Structures are given as structure tokens and as C-alpha cells.
Amino acid sequence: MKKSITKSEGILWSIALPGFPQLLVGLWFKGTLFVLLEIIINVQSNFNQAIMLSFLGETQKAANVIDYQWLMFYPCLYMFAMWDAYKIALTREEEYAYLPFVLSAYFVTAGLMLSPKVYILGRFIGPVFFPMMCVIPGVFIGLALRSILLRFR
């Protein structure tokens, strides 16, 4: 068991599976909770099947198998677990460092809700790829907002 992790290590392990960084540093209850919640939401929403279908180019089939009511929980759990891993790795507090994570959770959730209606160049993007694309504006707007708040505090 490691006593500490770096910020990038925490984020990358959390991308692999929420809860792994917490387990890595010995936060057994929190890590186990994140892993179990991820598995429950993943199974109940049929997310793995939708990921597989999306990567095979079957985005409409992916949209048909997804349980959107369950999957709506996923972005906030995923980003909160990632934020928690990042926070664990901090050696000193960074003001407003949570903003890119929070805004990404908001944008991905909105992207998931809008995904059944989104076509780009006439192609249906689906409930996996479009929400993933929504991480980008979430991170950039979060970083911009953080920069503004730090400048004018």
C-alpha cells in the first residue's frame, strides 16, 4: 500500500476505475464504495454493452440498450471520485481546483441528456461518444472560471 500518489496518478487510476486511487492509499471504505457504486451504475445502465457497441460503430444500438435513468448518476460519481483522488494527492490546498471536475460533471450530464438528438455531419454520435466530447468544454470552462476567480479574489 502506498502512502501517497501524484495528481496525475490519481486521475489516471480513477479514469481506469473510480475508487482505485483511494484503495491505493489505504482509504478502504471510500475506495470500496466508489468501486461498488461504479459497478452498480455500470451494470444497471448497460453501460459496458453501450461502450462496446459504440466502438463497433453501432451508436444507435448503443442508445437503445442504455438505461438513461441509471446512467445519469455516472458522470457525477465518476468526476467526484476523480476529484477526490486529485485532492488526496495535493500537498497543499489549491483554491478552486475542483472547478474543472465540477463543470465536467455538469457538461457530461447535459451531454448525456442531449445525446439522443445529436448528429454531427449527419452521423449519430450516441450516448457514449457525445458525453465524452462534453468533458472538453467542461474542463476548459472550469479552468477559465478558476483563473478568473483567482485573479479577482
Side-chain angles (χ1 to χ4, degrees):
M1 171 176 52
K2 294 180 72 166
K3 295 225 185 250
S4 66
I5 55 175
T6 65
K7 292 184 280 191
S8 59
E9 187 178 14
I11 288 173
L12 291 173
W13 274 118
S14 200
I15 288 171
L17 189 73
F20 274 5
Q22 290 79 4
L23 293 173
L24 194 59
V25 298
L27 297 170
W28 301 108
F29 180 77
K30 189 188 301 186
T32 302
L33 182 64
F34 285 150
V35 170
L36 288 175
L37 286 171
E38 197 281 339
I39 290 169
I40 291 167
I41 293 167
N42 191 302
V43 169
Q44 291 296 118
S45 68
N46 300 315
F47 195 36
N48 279 352
Q49 187 178 7
I51 291 170
M52 184 182 77
L53 289 166
S54 294
F55 275 90
L56 293 173
E58 302 286 344
T59 53
Q60 190 59 58
K61 285 183 184 176
N64 293 338
V65 300
I66 282 288
D67 184 326
Y68 286 89
Q69 293 299 314
W70 272 100
L71 195 56
M72 293 289 290
F73 291 109
Y74 200 76
C76 290
L77 171 69
Y78 198 79
M79 290 311 227
F80 180 77
M82 197 179 300
W83 157 244
D84 188 68
Y86 183 89
K87 189 174 67 167
I88 288 167
L90 292 177
T91 54
R92 61 176 177 74
E93 187 176 331
E94 296 177 6
E95 287 187 78
Y96 308 114
Y98 58 87
L99 286 172
F101 298 94
V102 171
L103 272 284
S104 291
Y106 295 161
F107 273 74
V108 172
T109 301
L112 179 61
M113 289 187 285
L114 295 171
S115 69
K117 302 280 187 189
V118 175
Y119 290 77
I120 297 178
L121 301 175
R123 306 243 334 140
F124 179 62
I125 305 303
V128 173
F129 294 132
F130 185 68
M132 285 171 58
M133 293 166 60
C134 292
V135 169
I136 296 165
V139 168
F140 283 119
I141 292 171
L143 289 171
L145 184 57
R146 179 177 187 257
S147 177
I148 291 167
L149 289 171
L150 287 173
R151 185 173 300 132
F152 295 108
R153 67 184 142 117

